[in-house]
Amino acid sequence: MQHSDSSITTGVIQKLGFLDYIIFATLLLTSMVIGGYQAYRDRENESVVNFLMAERNMHPLPVALSLLSSYVSAVSMLGVPAEVYLYSTLYIWIGVSYPLVMLATAYIYLPIFHALRITSVYAVSQSLSLGRS
């Protein structure tokens, strides 16, 4: 009988090594240093617009990378392989629909958010409810 921590196919127990922990700690430390530096550099400017929207003058590349990292979440990393395993190539339809969703978001949804100068859907619902009363 195999140990419960072992792989089904190999029977080998997988563990993180010293180098894995060093890489993980370096990644966390680098992120912390960058965040600390930016907080120190902009400590005079404590406005909400600066905190949430970077004064609306941030280069598109970091914004795109932030959106990408938010989209590729742990749920996606765990759920996609299970979805493909259970339903095979049906998952490809999600990939086919992405360009349509991206175009609709870029040309319909985002221009409205930009024109209203708001930061979230919650702010839209609040402004609509305030307009009705």
Side-chain angles (χ1 to χ4, degrees):
M1 185 156 169
Q2 290 184 344
H3 190 272
S4 63
D5 289 339
S6 64
S7 167
I8 275 181
T9 56
T10 65
V12 176
I13 298 173
Q14 298 292 325
K15 293 184 180 180
L16 294 176
F18 181 73
L19 184 60
D20 297 320
Y21 286 114
I22 294 296
I23 291 170
F24 184 64
T26 303
L27 174 73
L28 292 177
L29 185 64
T30 303
S31 297
M32 189 171 67
V33 167
I34 291 170
Y37 169 73
Q38 293 298 328
Y40 178 77
R41 193 182 79 168
D42 289 339
R43 67 187 176 280
E44 309 297 319
N45 191 358
E46 295 180 0
S47 70
V48 174
V49 174
N50 183 41
F51 182 74
L52 291 176
M53 305 294 288
E55 302 254 344
R56 297 185 182 268
N57 61 5
M58 194 173 213
H59 191 271
L61 181 63
V63 175
L65 292 175
S66 175
L67 290 171
L68 179 65
S69 66
S70 297
Y71 180 74
V72 181
S73 65
V75 173
S76 297
M77 298 304 268
L78 295 172
V80 170
E83 184 79 17
V84 172
Y85 179 76
L86 290 175
Y87 301 109
S88 187
T89 57
L90 286 178
Y91 192 78
I92 200 158
W93 289 109
I94 292 175
V96 170
S97 67
Y98 277 161
L100 299 172
V101 170
M102 285 187 272
L103 287 172
T105 301
Y107 291 105
I108 298 170
Y109 186 72
L110 289 179
I112 293 170
F113 264 49
H114 189 266
L116 293 173
R117 300 191 58 83
I118 56 177
T119 57
S120 69
V121 174
Y122 179 73
V124 173
S125 65
Q126 290 299 308
S127 65
L128 291 175
S129 66
L130 291 176
R132 290 184 186 160
S133 32

PDB file of all heavy atoms in Angstrom, residues 71-87:
ATOM      1  N   TYR A  71      -6.230  37.917 -13.195  1.00  0.00           N
ATOM      2  CA  TYR A  71      -7.062  36.964 -13.922  1.00  0.00           C
ATOM      3  C   TYR A  71      -6.564  35.533 -13.756  1.00  0.00           C
ATOM      4  O   TYR A  71      -7.345  34.608 -13.592  1.00  0.00           O
ATOM      5  CB  TYR A  71      -7.107  37.342 -15.402  1.00  0.00           C
ATOM      6  CG  TYR A  71      -7.942  36.392 -16.207  1.00  0.00           C
ATOM      7  CD1 TYR A  71      -9.326  36.425 -16.118  1.00  0.00           C
ATOM      8  CD2 TYR A  71      -7.347  35.448 -17.014  1.00  0.00           C
ATOM      9  CE1 TYR A  71     -10.097  35.546 -16.827  1.00  0.00           C
ATOM     10  CE2 TYR A  71      -8.111  34.560 -17.730  1.00  0.00           C
ATOM     11  CZ  TYR A  71      -9.483  34.615 -17.640  1.00  0.00           C
ATOM     12  OH  TYR A  71     -10.231  33.731 -18.332  1.00  0.00           O
ATOM     13  N   VAL A  72      -5.262  35.339 -13.802  1.00  0.00           N
ATOM     14  CA  VAL A  72      -4.691  34.004 -13.671  1.00  0.00           C
ATOM     15  C   VAL A  72      -4.553  33.712 -12.179  1.00  0.00           C
ATOM     16  O   VAL A  72      -3.507  33.882 -11.596  1.00  0.00           O
ATOM     17  CB  VAL A  72      -3.329  33.905 -14.385  1.00  0.00           C
ATOM     18  CG1 VAL A  72      -2.764  32.503 -14.258  1.00  0.00           C
ATOM     19  CG2 VAL A  72      -3.461  34.280 -15.843  1.00  0.00           C
ATOM     20  N   SER A  73      -5.625  33.283 -11.602  1.00  0.00           N
ATOM     21  CA  SER A  73      -5.652  33.068 -10.157  1.00  0.00           C
ATOM     22  C   SER A  73      -5.400  31.600  -9.826  1.00  0.00           C
ATOM     23  O   SER A  73      -5.317  30.743 -10.706  1.00  0.00           O
ATOM     24  CB  SER A  73      -7.014  33.482  -9.605  1.00  0.00           C
ATOM     25  OG  SER A  73      -8.010  32.628 -10.135  1.00  0.00           O
ATOM     26  N   ALA A  74      -5.319  31.325  -8.555  1.00  0.00           N
ATOM     27  CA  ALA A  74      -5.139  29.944  -8.120  1.00  0.00           C
ATOM     28  C   ALA A  74      -6.337  29.093  -8.506  1.00  0.00           C
ATOM     29  O   ALA A  74      -6.191  27.915  -8.835  1.00  0.00           O
ATOM     30  CB  ALA A  74      -4.930  29.915  -6.608  1.00  0.00           C
ATOM     31  N   VAL A  75      -7.519  29.670  -8.497  1.00  0.00           N
ATOM     32  CA  VAL A  75      -8.713  28.926  -8.889  1.00  0.00           C
ATOM     33  C   VAL A  75      -8.606  28.496 -10.349  1.00  0.00           C
ATOM     34  O   VAL A  75      -8.929  27.363 -10.712  1.00  0.00           O
ATOM     35  CB  VAL A  75      -9.988  29.774  -8.651  1.00  0.00           C
ATOM     36  CG1 VAL A  75     -11.209  29.095  -9.201  1.00  0.00           C
ATOM     37  CG2 VAL A  75     -10.152  30.064  -7.176  1.00  0.00           C
ATOM     38  N   SER A  76      -8.114  29.409 -11.205  1.00  0.00           N
ATOM     39  CA  SER A  76      -7.928  29.053 -12.607  1.00  0.00           C
ATOM     40  C   SER A  76      -6.891  27.954 -12.760  1.00  0.00           C
ATOM     41  O   SER A  76      -7.072  27.024 -13.549  1.00  0.00           O
ATOM     42  CB  SER A  76      -7.480  30.265 -13.420  1.00  0.00           C
ATOM     43  OG  SER A  76      -8.457  31.257 -13.407  1.00  0.00           O
ATOM     44  N   MET A  77      -5.805  28.073 -12.029  1.00  0.00           N
ATOM     45  CA  MET A  77      -4.732  27.086 -12.148  1.00  0.00           C
ATOM     46  C   MET A  77      -5.187  25.700 -11.698  1.00  0.00           C
ATOM     47  O   MET A  77      -4.737  24.698 -12.224  1.00  0.00           O
ATOM     48  CB  MET A  77      -3.515  27.519 -11.329  1.00  0.00           C
ATOM     49  CG  MET A  77      -2.925  28.837 -11.803  1.00  0.00           C
ATOM     50  SD  MET A  77      -2.483  28.809 -13.523  1.00  0.00           S
ATOM     51  CE  MET A  77      -0.811  28.300 -13.406  1.00  0.00           C
ATOM     52  N   LEU A  78      -6.075  25.645 -10.739  1.00  0.00           N
ATOM     53  CA  LEU A  78      -6.575  24.355 -10.276  1.00  0.00           C
ATOM     54  C   LEU A  78      -7.772  23.876 -11.086  1.00  0.00           C
ATOM     55  O   LEU A  78      -7.940  22.690 -11.333  1.00  0.00           O
ATOM     56  CB  LEU A  78      -6.973  24.443  -8.801  1.00  0.00           C
ATOM     57  CG  LEU A  78      -5.843  24.708  -7.821  1.00  0.00           C
ATOM     58  CD1 LEU A  78      -6.403  24.959  -6.437  1.00  0.00           C
ATOM     59  CD2 LEU A  78      -4.865  23.559  -7.810  1.00  0.00           C
ATOM     60  N   GLY A  79      -8.616  24.823 -11.504  1.00  0.00           N
ATOM     61  CA  GLY A  79      -9.854  24.445 -12.166  1.00  0.00           C
ATOM     62  C   GLY A  79      -9.719  24.070 -13.622  1.00  0.00           C
ATOM     63  O   GLY A  79     -10.431  23.191 -14.111  1.00  0.00           O
ATOM     64  N   VAL A  80      -8.823  24.719 -14.354  1.00  0.00           N
ATOM     65  CA  VAL A  80      -8.696  24.463 -15.786  1.00  0.00           C
ATOM     66  C   VAL A  80      -8.261  23.027 -16.077  1.00  0.00           C
ATOM     67  O   VAL A  80      -8.883  22.355 -16.902  1.00  0.00           O
ATOM     68  CB  VAL A  80      -7.755  25.492 -16.457  1.00  0.00           C
ATOM     69  CG1 VAL A  80      -7.425  25.087 -17.887  1.00  0.00           C
ATOM     70  CG2 VAL A  80      -8.391  26.863 -16.436  1.00  0.00           C
ATOM     71  N   PRO A  81      -7.228  22.503 -15.426  1.00  0.00           N
ATOM     72  CA  PRO A  81      -6.880  21.104 -15.709  1.00  0.00           C
ATOM     73  C   PRO A  81      -8.013  20.124 -15.389  1.00  0.00           C
ATOM     74  O   PRO A  81      -8.245  19.174 -16.135  1.00  0.00           O
ATOM     75  CB  PRO A  81      -5.667  20.841 -14.816  1.00  0.00           C
ATOM     76  CG  PRO A  81      -5.087  22.174 -14.563  1.00  0.00           C
ATOM     77  CD  PRO A  81      -6.244  23.124 -14.541  1.00  0.00           C
ATOM     78  N   ALA A  82      -8.735  20.382 -14.310  1.00  0.00           N
ATOM     79  CA  ALA A  82      -9.860  19.509 -13.973  1.00  0.00           C
ATOM     80  C   ALA A  82     -10.962  19.611 -15.022  1.00  0.00           C
ATOM     81  O   ALA A  82     -11.560  18.596 -15.414  1.00  0.00           O
ATOM     82  CB  ALA A  82     -10.409  19.876 -12.597  1.00  0.00           C
ATOM     83  N   GLU A  83     -11.217  20.817 -15.498  1.00  0.00           N
ATOM     84  CA  GLU A  83     -12.232  21.025 -16.534  1.00  0.00           C
ATOM     85  C   GLU A  83     -11.865  20.292 -17.813  1.00  0.00           C
ATOM     86  O   GLU A  83     -12.695  19.625 -18.439  1.00  0.00           O
ATOM     87  CB  GLU A  83     -12.377  22.524 -16.797  1.00  0.00           C
ATOM     88  CG  GLU A  83     -13.461  22.890 -17.768  1.00  0.00           C
ATOM     89  CD  GLU A  83     -14.840  22.865 -17.158  1.00  0.00           C
ATOM     90  OE1 GLU A  83     -14.961  22.879 -15.926  1.00  0.00           O
ATOM     91  OE2 GLU A  83     -15.801  22.815 -17.935  1.00  0.00           O
ATOM     92  N   VAL A  84     -10.615  20.404 -18.231  1.00  0.00           N
ATOM     93  CA  VAL A  84     -10.160  19.726 -19.450  1.00  0.00           C
ATOM     94  C   VAL A  84     -10.199  18.215 -19.252  1.00  0.00           C
ATOM     95  O   VAL A  84     -10.592  17.477 -20.157  1.00  0.00           O
ATOM     96  CB  VAL A  84      -8.748  20.207 -19.844  1.00  0.00           C
ATOM     97  CG1 VAL A  84      -8.175  19.377 -20.973  1.00  0.00           C
ATOM     98  CG2 VAL A  84      -8.791  21.673 -20.244  1.00  0.00           C
ATOM     99  N   TYR A  85      -9.823  17.761 -18.090  1.00  0.00           N
ATOM    100  CA  TYR A  85      -9.843  16.328 -17.816  1.00  0.00           C
ATOM    101  C   TYR A  85     -11.267  15.771 -17.893  1.00  0.00           C
ATOM    102  O   TYR A  85     -11.509  14.726 -18.469  1.00  0.00           O
ATOM    103  CB  TYR A  85      -9.245  16.038 -16.442  1.00  0.00           C
ATOM    104  CG  TYR A  85      -9.263  14.579 -16.071  1.00  0.00           C
ATOM    105  CD1 TYR A  85      -8.360  13.694 -16.631  1.00  0.00           C
ATOM    106  CD2 TYR A  85     -10.200  14.098 -15.167  1.00  0.00           C
ATOM    107  CE1 TYR A  85      -8.380  12.357 -16.295  1.00  0.00           C
ATOM    108  CE2 TYR A  85     -10.230  12.757 -14.823  1.00  0.00           C
ATOM    109  CZ  TYR A  85      -9.318  11.884 -15.395  1.00  0.00           C
ATOM    110  OH  TYR A  85      -9.349  10.559 -15.068  1.00  0.00           O
ATOM    111  N   LEU A  86     -12.215  16.510 -17.321  1.00  0.00           N
ATOM    112  CA  LEU A  86     -13.597  16.020 -17.299  1.00  0.00           C
ATOM    113  C   LEU A  86     -14.328  16.193 -18.627  1.00  0.00           C
ATOM    114  O   LEU A  86     -15.104  15.337 -19.019  1.00  0.00           O
ATOM    115  CB  LEU A  86     -14.382  16.745 -16.194  1.00  0.00           C
ATOM    116  CG  LEU A  86     -13.994  16.394 -14.768  1.00  0.00           C
ATOM    117  CD1 LEU A  86     -14.753  17.269 -13.787  1.00  0.00           C
ATOM    118  CD2 LEU A  86     -14.264  14.932 -14.490  1.00  0.00           C
ATOM    119  N   TYR A  87     -14.091  17.318 -19.304  1.00  0.00           N
ATOM    120  CA  TYR A  87     -14.889  17.634 -20.488  1.00  0.00           C
ATOM    121  C   TYR A  87     -14.079  17.731 -21.776  1.00  0.00           C
ATOM    122  O   TYR A  87     -14.578  18.194 -22.794  1.00  0.00           O
ATOM    123  CB  TYR A  87     -15.663  18.935 -20.260  1.00  0.00           C
ATOM    124  CG  TYR A  87     -16.568  18.834 -19.068  1.00  0.00           C
ATOM    125  CD1 TYR A  87     -16.286  19.537 -17.906  1.00  0.00           C
ATOM    126  CD2 TYR A  87     -17.692  18.022 -19.084  1.00  0.00           C
ATOM    127  CE1 TYR A  87     -17.107  19.452 -16.804  1.00  0.00           C
ATOM    128  CE2 TYR A  87     -18.512  17.913 -17.983  1.00  0.00           C
ATOM    129  CZ  TYR A  87     -18.209  18.632 -16.840  1.00  0.00           C
ATOM    130  OH  TYR A  87     -19.014  18.533 -15.755  1.00  0.00           O
TER     131      TYR A  87
END
